[in-house]
Amino acid sequence: MRHFYGWATPNSQRVSIMLEECGLDYAVTGVNIRARQQFAPEILALNPYGKIPILVEEGRVLFESGAILLHLAERHSTLLGEDRPTMLSWLMVALTSLGPFTGQAHHWTDLAPEKPEAARAHSTALVDRVYRLLDARLAEVPHLAGQACTIADIAAYPWVAKHGWAARSLDATPHLAAWFARMGERPAVRRGMAVPAGARLE
């Protein structure tokens, strides 16, 4: 039995969406990061970094959302796209820019007890830059890696869903907004975004 450990975080949602896209059965354990459950001994025994998501499959423990996406895509020969190098390039944009930049912006616009304007402006400008990049790409093709949905799209979608974290709107990036709407219509995306049931980031 596959066992997924996650919460209502964009990185966790990447994996739950992928599990749904692959049509796989899996058990779910919610790990509430606001309650610091990621540092519980049983979670640290699986991932000493104390981070989610985690996927346990056939005795193998996988962590880091990008690694899990690649593992599932390769194992099940799905969502890899027609051009692997192109897919990997856009996957890396989602993993190394979109997610981290949005997370930093969330910190400086909402979570930090002190919110220096320079930090807020710098972090939101980085989000704007990657949004412009994605918008230009999606003006040319329907999905980030080309014609077909791939794990690059799955890696990006939950973070674009959190554009409010960076005090951003999708109005200025219509191609990104249209892609976001198309992705949101996928049944597996809808199901995956709701895992674990009832999980909320407060």
Side-chain angles (χ1 to χ4, degrees):
M1 172 64 76
R2 283 171 207 86
H3 202 128
F4 166 68
Y5 297 79
W7 197 242
T9 68
N11 287 346
S12 292
Q13 290 163 339
R14 289 168 167 171
V15 175
S16 53
I17 289 170
M18 186 62 180
L19 289 165
E20 294 292 336
E21 288 279 1
C22 292
L24 301 174
D25 294 327
Y26 59 99
V28 180
T29 293
V31 181
N32 187 340
I33 65 168
R34 292 290 190 254
R36 299 180 63 80
Q37 292 176 353
Q38 70 270 35
F39 300 115
E42 59 270 27
I43 301 302
L44 290 174
L46 296 172
N47 181 1
Y49 202 3
K51 291 174 61 180
I52 54 172
I54 300 167
L55 182 67
V56 180
E57 183 180 68
E58 297 178 353
R60 179 187 291 111
V61 179
L62 297 159
F63 48 85
E64 292 296 326
S65 60
I68 299 171
L69 290 179
L70 278 168
H71 165 76
L72 292 173
E74 291 172 348
R75 179 160 189 176
H76 299 282
S77 301
T78 187
L79 296 165
L80 289 168
E82 60 270 17
D83 181 348
R84 183 180 176 87
T86 297
M87 181 278 290
L88 288 173
S89 294
W90 289 101
L91 175 63
M92 293 306 129
V93 170
L95 297 179
T96 68
S97 296
L98 177 62
F101 293 166
T102 307
Q104 290 172 29
H106 183 39
H107 178 78
W108 292 117
T109 60
D110 187 38
L111 300 179
E114 297 182 4
K115 302 174 178 64
E117 176 57 23
R120 187 206 64 79
H122 176 71
S123 61
T124 56
L126 290 173
V127 175
D128 286 339
R129 180 183 178 190
V130 73
Y131 275 24
R132 290 193 301 270
L133 173 69
L134 297 178
D135 193 62
R137 173 62 175 168
L138 292 165
E140 300 173 346
V141 289
H143 294 91
L144 291 175
Q147 297 301 311
C149 179
T150 70
I151 55 174
D153 301 283
I154 291 172
Y157 179 83
W159 280 103
V160 176
K162 295 297 188 184
H163 55 268
W165 279 7
R168 302 296 91 180
S169 165
L170 299 184
D171 292 346
T173 51
H175 305 292
L176 178 61
W179 165 89
F180 181 72
R182 290 194 303 274
M183 287 293 295
E185 293 172 355
R186 294 175 71 91
V189 171
R190 293 182 178 181
R191 293 193 302 269
M193 290 292 285
V195 176
R200 294 174 61 89
L201 276 180
E202 301 289 352

